[in-house]
Every structure is written in C-alpha cells, then in structure tokens.
C-alpha cells in the first residue's frame, strides 16, 4: 500500500476501486514467488547443487514413488536439456553421491537413473520443515477457500502460459469487435 492506502501496482497502474484488491493479490503472489526463489537459492547453496540438479532429483523421487524407471533421455526431456548437458548433470550427481546408474530391468542395453537413499534423506532433512509449514498453511483453509485458491492459481498458470501474438498498446483502445486487438486508428 502507498501512503494513501492504495495498492502499489507499477505494472497495473493506479486504481482505487476493485482493481486495488486484485493488485494486492498480485503483489502477495509476487512476494510469495520472491520467498520461494530465496528458499531455492538457500537450498541449492546448502546442498551444493544447481537448480537443474534439484529438479532432476525431484523427478527421480517422483518416478520411484510411481514405480517408474527413468532413463537419462527421459530425464533430459523433462528437464529440457541436451544430451551433452544431461551427461554432465548425471556425472556431477553420481560423483556427489546423489544418484546412481543402474542396468535397465528389461533392456540390457539401457541404463536407468535412481536417486540414492542418502539424497532422499538429505532433501527431506533440508526441506522437511518448510514442507510441513506449507502444508499447515494449506490445511488452515476450509474447502471453499481451498477451491478458490486452486482455481486462482490455475487461472494464473493459464495467464502465464498464454503467449500474446503482439504486445498490447496501452495507448490504443481495444477493438470491441475483436477483443484483445487494438481498435483501428
């Protein structure tokens, strides 16, 4: 809030009405994201790992929990990295003792990747308290509030995942016949 009690919203302009409440929500979401990014930096630092390393471990934990095997190519696809980068990442995580290569259970030519029990314990020790606090915060919501938050976050994901054809010009009014497009001059 600024000194006049209005929501700060550099990107959204100044609006003392309903938009001010929406801007407060977006500012709270931005604050949450900043806290999450800071937590990720602290976690990477304390574990001596990069962002992709932690994400790789998460995918390996998920695969194991689901009873699936993870080949290096599968993990590389999930991480969106090249084969060469994947090899470097795997070598680094094997050397640090976080993952191991094992023979594929049905394809003797292939290898699979598995997180070591020690890496699972390390991640749980490092992130366990934070995950409990986050779950406590989510459990404090009643079912209606939970659904509102889920719907909001899904809509926010859709808003972020949508790619605009061209940036909107705030100086040009929208074309009522073609919403999202500026009116012809």
């Amino acid at each position: 809030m600024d000194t006049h009690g209005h929501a700060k919203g550099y990107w959204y302009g100044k609006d003392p009405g309903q938009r001010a409440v929406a801007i407060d929500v977006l500012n709270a979401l931005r604050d949450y994201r900043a806290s999450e990014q800071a937590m990720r930096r602290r976690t990477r630092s304390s574990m001596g790992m990069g962002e992709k390393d932690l994400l790789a471990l998460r995918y390996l934990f998920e695969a194991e929990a689901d009873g699936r095997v993870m080949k290096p190519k599968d993990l590389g696809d999930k991480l969106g990295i090249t084969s060469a980068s994947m090899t470097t990442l795997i070598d680094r995580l094997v050397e640090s003792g976080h993952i191991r290569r094992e023979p594929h259970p049905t394809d003797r030519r292939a290898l699979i990747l598995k997180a070591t029990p020690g890496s699972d314990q390390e991640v749980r020790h490092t992130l366990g308290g934070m995950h409990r606090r986050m779950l406590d915060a989510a459990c404090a919501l009643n079912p209606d509030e939970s659904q509102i938050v889920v719907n909001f976050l899904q809509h926010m994901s859709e808003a972020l995942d949508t790619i605009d054809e061209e940036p909107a010009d705030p100086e040009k009014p929208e074309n009522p016949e073609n919403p999202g497009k500026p009116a012809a001059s």
Side-chain angles (χ1 to χ4, degrees):
M1 293 286 209
D2 65 16
T3 56
H4 303 296
H6 300 291
K8 292 182 188 175
Y10 171 80
W11 297 110
Y12 314 110
K14 293 180 172 58
D15 187 343
Q18 174 64 28
R19 284 180 57 135
V21 174
I23 291 169
D24 287 343
V25 169
L26 294 175
N27 284 332
L29 185 60
R30 183 178 298 127
D31 291 345
Y32 165 79
R33 290 184 56 232
S35 294
E36 182 181 38
Q37 289 170 348
M39 174 275 304
R40 289 183 187 281
R41 279 191 302 276
R42 289 189 308 271
T43 301
R44 286 192 312 265
S45 176
S46 74
M47 293 181 69
M49 302 176 106
E51 180 85 20
K52 294 281 188 194
D53 298 9
L54 280 174
L55 197 51
L57 282 178
R58 184 180 121 203
Y59 290 141
L60 290 172
F61 295 146
E62 288 173 357
E64 188 170 332
D66 293 343
R68 294 180 289 114
V69 296
M70 184 76 71
K71 295 181 192 176
K73 182 184 180 339
D74 301 331
L75 185 57
D77 289 347
K78 288 186 89 50
L79 293 170
I81 61 177
T82 65
S83 176
S85 295
M86 190 65 229
T87 300
T88 301
L89 183 142
I90 291 169
D91 289 345
R92 185 172 57 246
L93 290 175
V94 166
E95 187 176 319
S96 68
H98 288 97
I99 69 170
R100 63 182 183 262
R101 295 176 179 98
E102 293 185 358
H104 191 285
T106 59
D107 182 354
R108 65 180 190 179
R109 298 170 295 150
L111 291 174
I112 61 170
L113 304 172
K114 288 202 157 206
T116 62
S119 63
D120 184 40
Q121 292 166 354
E122 181 180 4
V123 169
R124 288 180 187 278
H125 173 73
T126 304
L127 302 177
M130 181 211 45
H131 285 154
R132 279 190 298 282
R133 290 187 300 276
M134 291 174 67
L135 186 57
D136 288 347
C139 286
L141 300 172
N142 69 44
D144 290 337
E145 293 169 329
S146 294
Q147 193 57 56
I148 289 168
V149 171
V150 167
N151 290 342
F152 169 73
L153 292 173
Q154 287 173 339
H155 287 115
M156 291 304 292
S157 293
E158 291 168 10
L160 294 174
D161 289 341
T162 300
I163 299 171
D164 295 329
E165 291 179 29
E166 61 184 68
D169 184 347
E171 300 298 317
K172 291 187 178 181
E174 272 194 13
N175 182 346
E177 295 165 12
N178 192 356
K181 300 288 181 184
S185 302

